[in-house]
Amino acid sequence: MYIKQLSVFVENKDGRLAEITTIIANAGIDIRALSIADTTDFGILRLVVDKPYEAEDILKAAGLTVSLTDVIAIGIPDRPGGFAETITAVANKAVAVEYMYAFISREQDRAYLIMRVADNETAIAALRAQGCDLLDGESVYQL
Amino acid sequence: MENRIFNKEMECMPRRELEALQLERLKSLVDYCERNSEFYSKRLAKAGVTADKIKSLSDIQYIPYTTKDDLRDTYPFGMISVPMEKIVRVHASSGTTGNPTVVAYTREDMENWSEQVARLAVAAGANAGTIVQICFGYGMFTGALGLHYGLEKIGAVVVPTSSGNTEKQLKFMRDFGTDAIVATPSYCMYLAEAARSMADKYPMEMYKLKYGILGSEGSTPEMRAEIEKHWGSGIFCTDNYGMSELNGPGMSGECMYRDGLHINEDHFLCETIDSASGSVLGKGETGELVVTNLTKRGLPMLRYRTKDITSINYDTCKCGRTSARMHKIIGRSDDMIKVRGVNVFPSQVESALIGMTEISPNYLIVLRRENYSDSMEVRVELIDSSLLDRYGELVALQKRIQDNIKNILGIAIKVSLVEPNSIERFTGKAKRVLDLRNQ
Ligand SMILES: [Zn+2]
């Protein structure tokens, strides 16, 4: 029920993000979703790719600090309120959300939400009860 | 640990008497140098100093300093002040550049040296019958043989294993029931780690180490705590200090209270000076340590500039010794930088970073001038990928390092987390400071 997400430590300097994504592209790996959290000094780049283990190896070999984390991916209806309904399901169970980010797919009327929560099992149960569309790794990597 | 003193008469002498003894010895040393040392007789004559001009200890200030370069320039035997048949030992320290520095000892010098080491060994816990393994490399360096003679003098059981061959070292420790080791702090730690890695075969209870007599490099309280925890045998570690130019180990060492290193003041007259100007600092002030070896005759040493930065505390210690105590070496004068008027040593920054597993041991200090004031940034490489899940943990790490350094330096600095391998590596001595203030 989880998908693998890469977290990469990046310094906030010109062109660094482009360099890192180029390393991934050159290895023939596709990025499905991307988010970056940063201050003025450094950031954490979060990536969902089609070949997460390969990407981890390549980035490590390039000398970067990288980790792989289990996150939850949810398909949500791309209409007003779709996001709010999903979030409410998790919030009602008092599961802390560490971070999340959304992306829209090529499919019509569908958006995806990547969520990192403190307690995966409780969150998944809550989302299931709400009838949310939980995605497994394979389907996200192939989007 | 029992509080024992090897030479109560000298180590606990009332300070007034001690200072009188130092003055008497200083005068006779100057007199000796005038008459026997080709090198010093010229130098003293040039400065207009004669033994009868030394009326008080502070008159030492008229004697010119001696530096490592003087030893290099007179390589190998130019500073020896006795005929070669009176010399019984020669040691040398390797210089990274140029000639090694050679030092030489008469029989009497050897006896004094052994006496000095005997005192610090007893202060560190050793006694007659203590089984001591010497894990310093034997050879031209003074460390191993210096400790060796001093320990024999107190009747310890000396086991000269020398450095290296870790498995053998550990085997002897277990089989002999070794009580104490003489080692660098890093090797002592390394041995403990190696012992732990073999603990399923040889449990840690098989080691009986009680005293770590550490020298040749300084240890921080954190390192020492780590070493003591790793051995887990109740080992008690103390530091000692010395350098070949001043005999070798034996100038000073810690007692069981570990509140500074007791100086063998009847043999060594110490001052601290301002490195840049060369002016003598007041008692207790932090500066470059300058040492006169009052009793050495084979190769005398007047006002030797150690380049080590410390301060000297003249209060009587809880152990009863009246001898002054020098603070652990804070840094090297060559490495000192001034930031907003405060003296800063890269070694201080290093001590704040040591043992942190989240970052690599590599760091860089960057100095800039912003709005007419100095700013200091410390760059460290983040290597712990487990922190990447929560952004807050990185910010907390940054803050923690910042606070640690501020506690040590007393000035606010900025810490930057950078990517692994982004700080330049050096094969030799690392360059730790990037000073952009005049750009
Ligand atoms: Zn003491």
Side-chain angles (χ1 to χ4, degrees):
Chain A
M1 263 318 109
Y2 310 118
I3 63 164
K4 295 287 177 193
Q5 173 205 255
L6 293 155
S7 298
V8 189
F9 179 75
V10 282
E11 276 171 61
N12 214 340
K13 55 188 182 194
D14 286 350
R16 193 58 187 142
L17 204 56
E19 280 167 25
I20 292 171
T21 48
T22 305
I23 294 170
I24 298 171
N26 287 348
I29 295 166
D30 280 344
I31 296 172
R32 297 288 173 231
L34 174 154
S35 134
I36 186 154
D38 69 345
T39 61
T40 50
D41 298 333
F42 59 81
I44 303 171
L45 173 65
R46 307 207 190 272
L47 294 165
V48 176
V49 298
D50 59 346
K51 290 171 239 167
Y53 295 102
E54 256 179 65
E56 185 191 20
D57 289 345
I58 285 157
L59 292 170
K60 273 195 177 149
L64 290 150
T65 303
V66 188
S67 71
L68 262 187
T69 325
D70 287 333
V71 293
I72 300 171
I74 312 148
I76 50 174
D78 188 14
R79 58 166 168 78
F83 180 77
E85 285 162 23
T86 310
I87 284 302
T88 311
V90 176
N92 284 346
K93 291 286 173 191
V95 173
V97 177
E98 304 285 354
Y99 54 84
M100 64 175 128
Y101 48 99
F103 63 103
I104 297 166
S105 75
R106 278 165 293 199
E107 271 178 74
Q108 267 194 336
D109 303 332
R110 247 169 110 68
Y112 296 93
L113 190 63
I114 305 286
M115 202 185 262
R116 170 80 176 114
V117 294
D119 178 353
N120 271 334
E121 279 175 24
T122 313
I124 285 178
L127 289 162
R128 281 227 173 95
Q130 183 72 22
C132 287
D133 173 19
L134 290 160
L135 283 82
D136 61 14
E138 283 319 303
S139 54
V140 173
Y141 307 149
Q142 301 317 323
L143 275 175
Chain B
M1 177 173 160
E2 207 186 319
N3 181 23
R4 273 192 309 269
I5 297 174
F6 181 74
N7 186 337
K8 267 215 169 88
E9 192 198 340
M10 287 301 172
E11 295 179 75
C12 304
M13 187 182 277
R15 287 213 64 86
R16 191 177 299 215
E17 276 174 48
L18 176 65
E19 283 164 17
L21 177 66
Q22 286 182 314
L23 180 60
E24 182 194 309
R25 288 185 170 178
L26 177 62
K27 281 185 190 167
S28 92
L29 172 66
V30 172
D31 179 58
Y32 174 84
C33 286
E34 279 178 77
R35 288 185 292 109
N36 298 285
S37 164
E38 200 192 324
F39 174 86
Y40 278 122
S41 59
K42 280 188 203 147
R43 196 168 267 201
L44 290 167
K46 205 173 159 202
V49 182
T50 53
D52 54 341
K53 281 201 178 149
I54 309 278
K55 305 262 188 252
S56 72
L57 284 178
S58 64
D59 289 337
I60 195 173
Q61 64 182 299
Y62 303 115
I63 300 173
Y65 295 122
T66 307
T67 65
K68 206 181 188 79
D69 285 340
D70 291 323
L71 279 162
R72 288 216 181 92
D73 295 345
T74 55
Y75 174 86
F77 298 146
M79 284 178 72
I80 292 179
S81 307
V82 292
M84 277 315 271
E85 60 263 30
K86 297 262 186 199
I87 295 293
V88 298
R89 177 82 68 77
V90 171
H91 277 286
S93 67
S94 68
T96 40
T97 53
N99 283 329
T101 51
V102 174
V103 290
Y105 309 74
T106 63
R107 194 168 299 283
E108 195 194 348
D109 292 339
M110 291 301 297
E111 272 160 30
N112 283 326
W113 185 16
S114 303
E115 160 78 24
Q116 293 150 16
V117 175
R119 292 184 199 170
L120 74 84
V122 168
N127 199 6
T130 304
I131 302 172
V132 190
Q133 219 162 302
I134 299 183
C135 312
F136 277 156
Y138 279 72
M140 290 304 273
F141 290 100
T142 50
L145 284 163
L147 264 303
H148 185 117
Y149 277 57
L151 285 160
E152 277 190 358
K153 189 177 172 76
I154 65 169
V157 182
V158 175
V159 185
T161 46
S162 193
S163 57
N165 206 343
T166 302
E167 285 192 26
K168 244 323 157 31
Q169 300 272 11
L170 294 174
K171 179 180 167 53
F172 286 143
M173 271 181 206
R174 294 188 302 268
D175 297 351
F176 295 179
T178 302
D179 299 300
I181 67 165
V182 168
T184 60
S186 43
Y187 193 58
C188 189
M189 182 69 187
Y190 178 80
L191 282 173
E193 281 169 349
R196 288 217 166 261
S197 74
M198 292 188 271
D200 47 342
K201 211 166 157 198
Y202 307 109
M204 292 306 284
E205 294 74 51
M206 295 176 81
Y207 300 95
K208 307 290 175 216
L209 281 184
K210 289 193 283 290
Y211 311 110
I213 304 172
L214 308 182
S216 175
E217 55 188 52
S219 69
T220 60
E222 295 78 22
M223 265 168 97
R224 189 145 70 186
E226 274 294 286
I227 292 170
E228 291 176 355
K229 194 180 91 193
H230 262 76
W231 276 113
S233 59
I235 190 175
F236 187 87
C237 296
T238 50
D239 271 13
N240 61 74
Y241 173 86
M243 56 182 63
S244 63
E245 296 88 332
L246 303 162
N247 282 349
M251 202 197 108
S252 64
E254 285 177 311
C255 67
M256 62 185 285
Y257 294 101
R258 299 195 293 202
D259 186 17
L261 289 79
H262 282 283
I263 300 168
N264 283 313
E265 280 188 287
D266 49 328
H267 292 276
F268 299 98
L269 182 56
C270 295
E271 309 163 78
T272 55
I273 67 165
D274 181 289
S275 279
S277 69
S279 59
V280 178
L281 298 172
K283 283 204 160 185
E285 279 190 89
T286 302
E288 182 182 342
L289 180 69
V290 169
V291 186
T292 298
N293 193 334
L294 294 170
T295 48
K296 189 132 184 246
R297 291 296 182 264
L299 194 155
M301 203 45 80
L302 295 175
R303 299 192 92 199
Y304 185 69
R305 288 187 67 156
T306 64
K307 294 198 170 180
D308 284 330
I309 306 292
T310 185
S311 62
I312 301 170
N313 173 4
Y314 291 88
D315 298 338
T316 300
C317 181
K318 272 185 260 177
C319 69
R321 290 178 181 85
T322 51
S323 51
R325 284 163 287 157
M326 56 185 264
H327 193 279
K328 272 181 195 297
I329 302 303
I330 300 166
R332 297 280 294 163
S333 61
D334 295 341
D335 300 334
M336 191 174 84
I337 45 178
K338 257 199 158 74
V339 182
R340 295 196 290 269
V342 177
N343 293 337
V344 170
F345 298 94
S347 54
Q348 292 174 294
V349 172
E350 201 161 325
S351 71
L353 303 178
I354 214 150
M356 298 194 78
T357 52
E358 298 91 339
I359 54 175
S360 80
N362 229 7
Y363 66 93
L364 183 73
I365 296 169
V366 183
L367 302 170
R368 289 192 188 81
R369 180 109 46 205
E370 283 162 0
N371 305 322
Y372 305 101
S373 171
D374 295 338
S375 76
M376 178 170 154
E377 177 195 353
V378 177
R379 292 187 191 158
V380 292
E381 296 176 343
L382 179 82
I383 55 166
D384 183 359
S385 62
S386 74
L387 297 178
L388 294 180
D389 214 24
R390 291 176 184 82
Y391 192 77
E393 288 194 25
L394 288 184
V395 177
L397 172 69
Q398 194 179 18
K399 172 95 170 52
R400 193 160 82 240
I401 300 171
Q402 218 152 274
D403 291 347
N404 283 353
I405 297 176
K406 194 187 169 183
N407 281 342
I408 291 173
L409 301 184
I411 54 170
I413 59 124
K414 183 193 153 170
V415 165
S416 298
L417 301 179
V418 299
E419 290 170 21
N421 305 307
S422 63
I423 295 172
E424 200 185 338
R425 259 66 176 166
F426 296 89
T427 41
K429 195 172 186 285
K431 192 173 177 291
R432 298 301 194 186
V433 182
L434 179 64
D435 196 339
L436 304 172
R437 287 179 293 187
N438 296 316
Q439 291 183 12

